[in-house]
Every structure is written in structure tokens, then in C-alpha cells.
Amino acid sequence: MKTQVKALVVGGGAVGTSIAYHLARAGWDDVMLLERDELTSGSTWHAAGLLPYFNMSFATTHIHDYSIRFYKTLEEETGLNAGFAVVGNLRMAQTQERMDEYMLYASTAETCGVPYQFMTPDQIKAKWPLINTEDLKGALYHQTDGYINPADVTMAMAKGARQRGVMIERKWQADAFHWTGEVWEVTATKMVEKGGNLIPSEEQIVITAEHVVTASGNHAQRTAKMLGIKMPAIPVEHQFIVMEQDPALVEFREAGSAEHPVIRDADAQSYVREERGGWILGVYEKGAPARFEHGVPDSFRADLFQLDLERIEDQYMAMIHRVPSCEESGLKDDFNGPICYTPDGNPLVGPAPGLRNMWLAEGFSFGITAAGGTGYYLAQMMVEGEAEIDMASLDPKRYGKWMTTEFAARKNEECYEHVYILHHPDEERPACRPLRTSPAYDRQAAKGAQFGFVNGWERPNYYGPLDAPENFDHDARSFRRGGWWQYAHDEAKAVREGVGLIDATAFTKHVLRGPGATAFLDWFTCNRLPKVGRINLTYALTEAGTTRTEYTIVRNAEDEYYLVSAGAWQAYDSDYLLKAIEDKIPEFGWMSCHDVTSQWGVFAIAGPKSRDVLGALIKDADPATALSNKRFPWLSARQIELGMCPVNAIRVAYTGELGWELHHPIEMQNYLWDQLVAAGESHGMKLVGARAQNWLRQEKSYRAFGTELGRDATPLEADLPRFVDLSKDFHGKAAMEAIGVRSKCVTLLIDGPDDADPWGREALYHGETRVGRLTSGGYSVAFGKSIGMGYVSPELAVPGTKLQVKMFDQLWDAEIVQDSPYDPDNAAIRIDG
Ligand SMILES: Cc1cc2nc3c(=O)[nH]c(=O)nc-3n(C[C@H](O)[C@H](O)[C@H](O)COP(=O)(O)OP(=O)(O)OC[C@H]3O[C@@H](n4cnc5c(N)ncnc54)[C@H](O)[C@@H]3O)c2cc1C
């Protein structure tokens, strides 16, 4: 057995096998896969094999799309038939809200090039008479997906991998990982059978690998411990039952009718498909427990749990309602297996936190569907440096060090039972909350704050009515304008016309200092560095020239910088920054970098009256001028005192109004909050949440990381040349220039429906042609209509271009407007006083 390879893949389920295959296909000819037992012996063997397209995430939809297309090619390549039944997928809606959900999802499908169509109940009945359609509003139909045999598709990928030179070693378990500074030394133990268990033998070898990928399925917790990292990948029980033949179905098929599509009754939390004249019923029920929180026992191999019929009784009855002919069919077989989950349902794919050349592909709940695409895009990341799609939403570091086993287990249970809930874009899930709260949390809650969950933090989304029942937010959700809309509207107006106070404590903050800091940052980011006491907005690029992180940089001293980036991406930003610093210290000189996110609270005060509110609190020899343009110009930073609170104030406002960010010691947050609220009272200051802020920033065309900014577009494509200093060298510059401008970010005003705004995923049309997509959406209080930002081809990215936005299956007029349609000259933000 070879002991020195370029890449070692740990885990021979569908995911690991696909990764090994795709690494070889991408050109790496020295790839080995280790499997502790037999290939497919993890969750893969007992999967139902459905390959559903439906997914609200842009990256995941691309991944699923790749898999579905790829699996169709495997037989030709390997000669193995993976049993892909392209029967389609019929996702039914019992309510108009569910149809709204499908119409929103259709935006994602359309922008990813996934074919779909809507069907009426009559069309369904005419095609598939066994389905009871009397209570249906309609359905979404994917013609090109279906189901596959999970073991066969894995074996086909394994054969394809072997044909491309991959070594697949079974009965070898990876037991220890050691990074020498250049390569990984992986200790592998030969596994042997004993009394039906699989146990480690005395035989061990050390394999040296430049890169390691873990795809260990239900063993993710053990893998995490060995690597010294945290992964919220913990399985939950998942059941499906196989039923005896249904005579009506047999007759239907014998008459020459085509197989039924996979039938998803989302409102009944179940899926149904044909199986040899009978049906398979799979469910996503309430109460399915997490398993293996601290590891998989030796005794559990290709095993199953006991079926819990009681737990799925409601779904079973609902199936009889939907396909009445199955009522007489008995139970033939049952499966209750571990299905790996993560708190948000997306797998963890990408570089491991803190480690070099260690890649994770863990936490797959739709792993058969995702395996193909994951292999393809992860291989791109490993071989070429970046994938062609932005993989940030799947990055393992979207969960920080605050994440615990208990959090992951309870959140994964919640995620499992939410598979078929209505996926409102303004959805907030309750489990494990509140967890990370800023000190002012209770004060904000007492004022009616309805909180959103951002990287574990509780952040006010908006302030609702004080007399509302606790579950107000839940009832307020919609695919159209939710009950919260009017509150966000009034908050946005308050910022434009008066003054608002926003809690931005969740921002990620780093302090970088030392003799090497200036040269390093100059290389690491693309804009010129600010002078001491000044601020700039800048971007760190990927190796491939696309946007990795957006920073507001404050220069505290010649060699000291305060870096502020998005709150959702703390561990993600930290990891990239710290690794780059470590690499560059020999070149640029010593520097230290600390993540100070939890030490500094942030309030943003914004609006024409914000100077008046701060003016009432500031302690200064000349309070009347302390906040004037002369003493505190736009884009500068000053240490000020508000009452007894020392504040590092920054004159920037993400809302585009006169305003300051008040970075303060976290332990003084409540004091400062009380001072600001009291001072704001006489100015009618409103407490403002993230939703209003999101609308306001679009009026100023301020891009956001994760929407307009990501690893699939350069800052030039984001149309931010004013923040890119082409006169200097910086990381990713050559790649950025080589890419050119493939598409360009624009802002649009939209004449949409009266009761809805875009969410930022909708397709853009120019006449009959789809020309781009929105990345953000909302309502503009300044223009009294919907607003959005998105990407179109450079030729169309001209103010005045008339486009259409597809919402609720209809096209609505939209016009590209100039950048920063509200106050393009920044007069409001610069106003003196
Ligand atoms: C009842 C049920 C129905 C399902 N239906 C579907 C479906 O219809 N469609 C769908 O897409 N998904 C479905 N799934 C989910 C799907 O089964 C999983 O997402 C998928 O199998 C995950 O594949 P994997 O390769 O990540 O993990 P696994 O298949 O679990 O493979 C991981 C492998 O890693 C090996 N391993 C672990 N640690 C080590 C180590 N240290 N050294 C060497 N080897 C190691 C294990 O032995 C195992 O073989 C279903 C799951 C269940 C339980």
C-alpha cells in the first residue's frame, strides 16, 4: 500500500468517493481514499436515493444540478448502471403560501438554469389519477430529477475513480492526523472483524499526504476531535417505510403508464415514490432525536435503529389521504438510519478552521444528491484555489468557536423537523436561543425588539409592538410583505428624516499591530491604506482575484489598525486573516492580530439629528464643535467621551445618513445605551433594526458581503473601482485584472406588486432574455417603491436601462439607476453642524 500521496480522502461514502473521483479528474494523479469498513457502509447504503433539486440556496442548487447532470453520464464512462430513474419530482402545495414559496424558489432554480414548471391540480389529476388533488392549490414539477441507487452510484464513481488512478483502500481507519508544517502524516489502522464488530488491529501505517479531505459522515465528531476543531455535524434519526404492492398502482403501470414522479407533500412533511408496485413513504417528522453526539459506537456498522411508527403516524395518514389506493397495502420493510445534519441544513464544505491543506466535506443530509457537485466544486477549490461558484455559504467556518455539541445536536433536530416547513426568507428558528447576546439585549427586548440570529448573536431585526404576544415575529412572516414591514418602514423613515439607533455589536473586529502591519495590510487589501485617524473601505481578495472579505479599516496609529467586517463571518474572516499573517511575517516583519469581536460593542447612530443627540452627551472642552466637520470629518475616527463612556467613534454610516459608529467597551454598553436613549428622546430617536438598515444601504448602493460581494465576483465586477488602487500591488490583483468584468453590479428601482418586494434572488429579464439576477432586494422609503441590487452583463449595466424582475411568476418593470440613487453626492452624510 502506498504511503505517500498528493491527496488522501477519508471516508468511502457517496461524498468521499465523488471527491476522490473529481480530484483525479481535475488532474491530481496521486489520490488515495481510505474507508474504515466497506464502501457505502455509512449512511449511503440506506438512503432512499432521491435526488431533489428543490433547495433555497444558490450554491447548493448548483451542487445538486451538477450531480444530477453528472450521474446521467456515469454509465457511459464506467459501464456501471447506477439505476437513475429520471421520473421527475412533483412538489405539491396545499396552500397559497406554499405556492408563494415555490414561486420564490423558482427564482433560484431559474437563475441556476434548473428546469421546472408549475402544474395545476387538474393537470396533475389528468396525468396521475391515483393522486388525490382535491385539496391542492398546485405543484412545482421538476422533470429532470428523480431517484438513483445510492450504493450503485457510489460504486460507479469508485470505478471511475480507479480508472483515473485513485487507490481505494478498504478496512483502513484514519486514527491520527499530524501536520509537519509541510504535509499531513495520517496514522491509519487496519480494521478487523470480531464478533460482528469492526475493531482496530495492531497493524498501523503512516501515510504522508499534501492534502487531506475528511468525508466521514456520521463519524464527524470523532474526526473533529482528532483534528482539534469543532464541527456541528451530528446525525438525526430518519425513517422511511416500504409498502407492499398497491393493486391500483400495479394496474396503472400495467396499462403502460409511466412511473409516478417522486411525490412530495410538503405540507404533510413526507415524500412518496414507487417501489416495485408499492410505495416508499419517507417523512421529516417532529421529535426525531440526534444520535452519536459523542461518536459512533464500534457495534454500529451498516446498522439501523428501531422503527418508531408512532412518530410518523400523522404522515402515514396523510399519505393515505394523498394516495388513497395505498390504504390496504401492508408494511414490507422499514429503514430508520442516521442522517447527518448541520444547524442550517447545509453541509460543511471547505478548508478546516486553523489548519493547512485540511478540507472538510461533512454534515450531508442530502448527500446522495450533493455528492457529485460537492466533489466537483471542492476539487476546483483544492486544485485551482477557488470554485467557479461562491462556496462561502457552505464554509465550515460559518460556525465559530462558540459552537458546542449541545447546540449542534438541538439545532440539528430542529433543522430536521423544519425540512418541510414554509421556508420564509424572513424565517427565524427558535431552538437554542438566546445564546450570544450583547449586554443591551434585555433593554432592547423590553422595547419590542424582534431578534434575528446572526452567527449565534441575537441582533434586533426590527422593533415590533410592545403589546404583541411573544410569537409576533412568527406570525409576521411571509413570502410577501410580512407583518414586520410597516415597522421596518417607519424605522427607515426615521433614519432618513430624524435619527435612529442601531445595535451593530455583532460586527467582526480585529486589531492588527506591529512593524509588519502596514506592509502586510497594503498587500492584503486592495485600497490604499488610510492615514492615522482616518478610515477606508477595502477588500481582501482571494488568490483568484474575487472578493474574500470587506473591511472598514481604521488606522489607530502608524502601525496599528482596527479592522471591522461582517458579523456573520467572524471565524471565516479570522481564519483567512491569521493564516495570511502567519505566512507573511517572514516577508513583512512581526505583527500581532487579535480578534476583539467580543470586547467591543457597537452602536450606530444615524440620521440628520444624530449630531444633536451625541452633542448632548459629549464631554469636550468645546462640545459645540466636537462633532463638526472640522474637528470630526466624514471618514475619520476619534476617541470621544459620551458621558462616562470612552468611545472610539467612527464617522461612517451604513445607512448613508449623517452618523457615527460608536465602538465602546462591552462592559459599558448598558450605560451608553441608557445615555443615548435618554438623549434621543427629545429628538424622537427611533430604535432601528437590521431590516430597515438593509433597505437603507441599498438606496446608497452599499454592497453587502454574502450578497453582492463574494468569491464569485471581483471588486471591479462589484463596480467598486474607487476602492481599488491599481497603482499598487496587492494579493489577487493579477487574477482580478485577468478576469476582466464578466458581469457588473447595479442598483434597480422596481415597480413590483403592491404587497411584496424582491428578496434578492430573483431573475432579471431584458425583453424575453434572462440577463442576470438580483442579489439583494427590499423597499426604498426614499423612492416609495421596491429596490434591489444585482448583476447583469456590462453592456446592460447603464443607468436608464429598462429591465424586468420576475416575482411570483410574473415580470415587473425595473430600471437600472445610477449608483447611490439616494443622495449621490453624499451631501447628507457630509453635512456640517
Ligand atoms: C433513511 C435515510 C434516507 C435517506 N435518503 C436520502 C435521499 O433520498 N437522498 C439523499 O440525497 N440523501 C438521503 N439520505 C442522506 C444520505 O444517506 C447521506 O447524506 C449520505 O449518505 C452521506 O454520505 P457521506 O459520504 O457523507 O457519508 P457516509 O455514507 O456515512 O460515509 C462516510 C464513510 O466514512 C467512513 N469513515 C468514517 N470515519 C472514518 C475514518 N476515520 N477512516 C476511514 N473511514 C472513515 C465511514 O465508514 C463511512 O463509510 C438518507 C439518509 C437516511 C438515513
Side-chain angles (χ1 to χ4, degrees):
M1 186 167 152
K2 208 165 170 192
T3 54
Q4 207 173 358
V5 293
K6 172 97 178 161
L8 182 72
V9 180
V10 177
V15 174
T17 309
S18 168
I19 293 166
Y21 168 93
H22 281 95
L23 282 174
R25 207 173 90 168
W28 281 8
D29 51 13
D30 208 3
V31 178
M32 180 186 278
L33 182 148
L34 289 190
E35 165 53 51
R36 67 189 292 278
D37 200 340
E38 294 294 340
L39 293 181
T40 78
S41 62
S43 275
T44 295
W45 78 269
H46 52 57
L50 310 183
L51 303 175
Y53 259 125
F54 188 89
N55 194 287
M56 290 297 203
S57 141
F58 192 68
T60 309
T61 300
H62 273 297
I63 286 174
H64 289 188
D65 184 44
Y66 176 88
S67 299
I68 288 166
R69 294 172 195 270
F70 165 62
Y71 295 158
K72 289 174 182 167
T73 67
L74 264 178
E75 185 171 0
E76 196 183 323
E77 180 179 343
T78 65
L80 295 182
N81 181 337
F84 194 165
V86 187
V87 295
N89 202 310
L90 187 71
R91 210 171 168 99
M92 296 174 297
Q94 294 183 23
T95 63
Q96 186 52 47
E97 267 240 285
R98 184 66 76 178
M99 283 307 288
D100 280 0
E101 179 190 44
Y102 294 167
M103 287 190 274
L104 181 65
Y105 157 75
S107 318
T108 310
E110 198 170 1
T111 51
C112 295
V114 167
Y116 68 90
Q117 70 182 73
F118 288 107
M119 290 185 83
T120 64
D122 287 346
Q123 287 170 322
I124 299 169
K125 194 81 200 166
K127 232 173 153 175
W128 301 294
L130 295 183
I131 301 177
N132 173 9
T133 57
E134 66 190 21
D135 58 346
L136 293 185
K137 290 275 178 217
L140 175 82
Y141 179 46
H142 282 298
Q143 311 88 311
T144 55
D145 65 12
Y147 62 90
I148 203 160
N149 185 318
D152 291 349
V153 74
T154 308
M155 290 307 178
M157 288 191 286
K159 184 169 177 198
R162 284 194 185 99
Q163 284 171 352
R164 292 171 185 273
V166 173
M167 296 153 277
I168 296 183
E169 302 293 343
R170 290 166 299 137
K171 295 279 193 307
W172 282 97
Q173 174 170 278
D175 272 342
F177 299 89
H178 172 67
W179 175 246
T180 65
E182 282 178 359
V183 288
W184 283 100
E185 289 173 349
V186 181
T187 306
T189 308
K190 183 81 189 160
M191 302 299 283
V192 292
E193 309 266 350
K194 196 166 180 193
N197 288 353
L198 188 68
I199 55 163
S201 72
E202 299 284 300
E203 189 183 347
Q204 285 198 325
I205 54 168
V206 174
I207 302 165
T208 307
E210 273 176 52
H211 292 262
V212 173
V213 189
T214 76
S216 58
N218 300 318
H219 296 259
Q221 290 310 306
R222 179 174 186 270
T223 306
K225 272 189 205 113
M226 288 192 286
L227 294 174
I229 60 171
K230 289 180 169 186
M231 281 191 232
I234 293 177
V236 175
E237 284 188 18
H238 178 44
Q239 324 190 72
F240 68 83
I241 55 176
V242 186
M243 296 162 81
E244 302 280 5
Q245 284 203 331
D246 171 356
L249 175 61
V250 173
E251 191 184 326
F252 176 76
R253 292 296 306 281
E254 278 173 1
S257 304
E259 182 170 344
H260 281 82
V262 176
I263 306 166
R264 291 196 180 251
D265 200 348
D267 300 295
Q269 298 97 40
S270 64
Y271 56 82
V272 174
R273 76 159 166 89
E274 286 189 27
E275 173 75 6
R276 296 169 205 274
W279 303 96
I280 282 182
L281 166 70
V283 297
Y284 285 91
E285 76 282 21
K286 269 194 186 348
R291 302 297 294 250
F292 309 145
E293 291 173 31
H294 301 284
V296 184
D298 281 346
S299 56
F300 195 95
R301 294 179 65 189
D303 292 313
L304 291 169
F305 310 115
Q306 187 85 29
L307 179 75
D308 187 343
L309 253 185
E310 223 168 86
R311 216 164 63 211
I312 63 173
E313 205 177 309
D314 287 351
Q315 290 81 11
Y316 179 65
M317 297 312 289
M319 181 200 176
I320 293 175
H321 167 75
R322 186 61 59 217
V323 188
S325 61
C326 79
E327 187 167 6
E328 300 304 318
S329 311
L331 187 63
K332 187 165 124 191
D333 208 352
D334 61 78
F335 292 79
N336 181 6
I339 185 166
C340 218
Y341 259 81
T342 62
D344 64 7
N346 274 330
L348 309 166
V349 184
L355 305 175
R356 305 287 182 149
N357 292 5
M358 176 60 70
W359 305 84
L360 307 182
E362 304 282 2
F364 285 83
S365 55
F366 282 91
I368 310 305
T369 320
T374 300
Y376 177 67
Y377 291 115
L378 185 61
Q380 282 187 343
M381 285 169 80
M382 292 173 64
V383 175
E384 292 164 33
E386 275 302 325
E388 66 201 54
I389 59 167
D390 184 356
M391 297 284 282
S393 59
L394 308 182
D395 194 282
K397 295 176 291 298
R398 64 190 189 274
Y399 298 97
K401 288 189 177 138
W402 53 269
M403 198 275 305
T404 56
T405 313
E406 177 66 12
F407 172 85
R410 302 294 81 81
K411 268 300 200 198
N412 292 3
E413 287 168 349
E414 178 190 58
C415 187
Y416 174 86
E417 82 178 45
H418 277 60
V419 165
Y420 280 132
I421 61 141
L422 287 162
H423 294 284
H424 291 118
D426 51 358
E427 180 192 3
E428 287 293 338
R429 297 183 183 181
C432 308
R433 298 177 62 185
L435 185 61
R436 297 179 84 194
T437 55
S438 56
Y441 172 83
D442 289 335
R443 282 164 163 77
Q444 291 161 356
K447 295 277 187 191
Q450 297 286 336
F451 292 92
F453 184 80
V454 182
N455 192 16
W457 287 98
E458 296 294 331
R459 185 181 66 178
N461 274 337
Y462 65 100
Y463 289 80
L466 275 177
D467 55 356
E470 258 196 331
N471 68 349
F472 170 77
D473 190 53
H474 185 267
D475 294 341
R477 291 171 207 159
S478 172
F479 294 96
R480 296 173 185 250
R481 287 178 183 162
W484 53 268
W485 189 91
Q486 192 60 47
Y487 299 99
H489 176 274
D490 296 350
E491 290 168 19
K493 269 239 173 258
V495 172
R496 286 280 174 257
E497 292 167 6
V499 54
L501 183 65
I502 300 165
D503 184 353
T505 298
F507 272 157
T508 296
K509 302 143 213 139
H510 286 90
V511 173
L512 174 69
R513 61 166 73 91
T518 298
F520 167 77
L521 265 192
D522 203 34
W523 164 84
F524 187 61
T525 60
C526 65
N527 198 354
R528 74 187 64 88
L529 294 179
K531 297 198 174 74
V532 175
R534 303 287 298 183
I535 297 162
N536 78 6
L537 189 70
T538 186
Y539 302 93
L541 305 195
T542 63
E543 191 75 40
T546 54
T547 308
R548 172 64 202 216
T549 301
E550 180 182 56
Y551 288 110
T552 301
I553 295 189
V554 183
R555 191 165 190 168
N556 292 338
E558 269 313 314
D559 284 340
E560 183 180 309
Y561 299 85
Y562 181 63
L563 275 54
V564 183
S565 55
W569 303 93
Q570 183 183 354
Y572 177 86
D573 286 350
S574 213
D575 192 66
Y576 193 58
L577 180 63
L578 295 180
K579 282 176 180 165
I581 288 170
E582 193 180 280
D583 289 344
K584 289 290 174 178
I585 282 180
E587 186 179 339
F588 295 127
W590 179 84
M591 63 196 117
S592 71
C593 185
H594 296 283
D595 180 344
V596 295
T597 300
S598 303
Q599 292 168 34
W600 292 92
V602 185
F603 294 141
I605 186 165
K609 295 184 188 165
S610 56
R611 189 178 265 127
D612 302 335
V613 176
L614 291 188
L617 293 176
I618 197 160
K619 301 295 170 193
D620 187 88
D622 185 9
T625 64
L627 299 165
S628 64
N629 280 2
K630 187 152 180 236
R631 290 186 58 199
F632 204 148
W634 183 41
L635 296 179
S636 67
R638 298 282 182 270
Q639 292 181 343
I640 60 171
E641 295 182 0
L642 295 177
M644 292 189 290
C645 185
V647 171
N648 293 337
I650 305 177
R651 190 166 163 194
V652 287
Y654 197 43
T655 50
E657 282 302 331
L658 172 70
W660 284 262
E661 276 180 15
L662 308 170
H663 293 245
H664 54 272
I666 196 91
E667 70 275 19
M668 296 173 101
Q669 178 163 87
N670 280 340
Y671 168 80
L672 181 62
W673 173 267
D674 292 343
Q675 296 289 311
L676 288 165
V677 169
E681 214 159 275
S682 56
H683 299 283
M685 185 174 78
K686 241 187 178 318
L687 302 178
V688 173
R691 291 197 178 142
Q693 194 183 18
N694 182 40
W695 291 354
L696 291 167
R697 62 111 190 153
Q698 292 178 61
E699 293 178 346
K700 290 293 293 172
S701 301
Y702 292 160
R703 284 77 168 152
F705 190 77
T707 54
E708 291 75 40
L709 302 173
R711 275 151 51 190
D712 52 355
T714 70
L716 297 182
E717 291 175 315
D719 202 17
L720 296 165
R722 63 191 183 282
F723 300 110
V724 181
D725 178 6
L726 287 174
S727 69
K728 69 169 191 176
D729 274 334
F730 53 85
H731 180 56
K733 180 182 172 188
M736 176 193 78
E737 288 184 315
I739 287 173
V741 176
R742 299 162 296 188
S743 61
K744 213 168 187 180
C745 186
V746 293
T747 305
L748 300 106
L749 288 173
I750 301 154
D751 292 308
D754 289 339
D755 63 346
D757 303 304
W759 291 99
R761 56 206 308 168
E762 293 75 6
L764 292 170
Y765 277 82
H766 187 236
E768 300 284 293
T769 318
R770 182 160 53 81
V771 291
R773 68 175 176 118
L774 289 185
T775 45
S776 293
Y779 183 79
S780 162
V781 290
F783 295 97
K785 55 169 74 175
S786 294
I787 192 165
M789 296 174 73
Y791 278 82
V792 296
S793 61
E795 312 80 67
L796 289 173
V798 182
T801 304
K802 308 266 191 237
L803 300 179
Q804 282 104 35
V805 179
K806 194 154 183 194
M807 293 169 65
F808 301 106
D809 211 29
Q810 281 181 49
L811 292 174
W812 303 86
D813 287 340
E815 183 176 335
I816 295 179
V817 290
Q818 72 174 114
D819 215 54
S820 184
Y822 171 77
D823 188 21
D825 300 327
N826 291 325
I829 215 167
R830 287 182 216 248
I831 199 160
D832 203 359

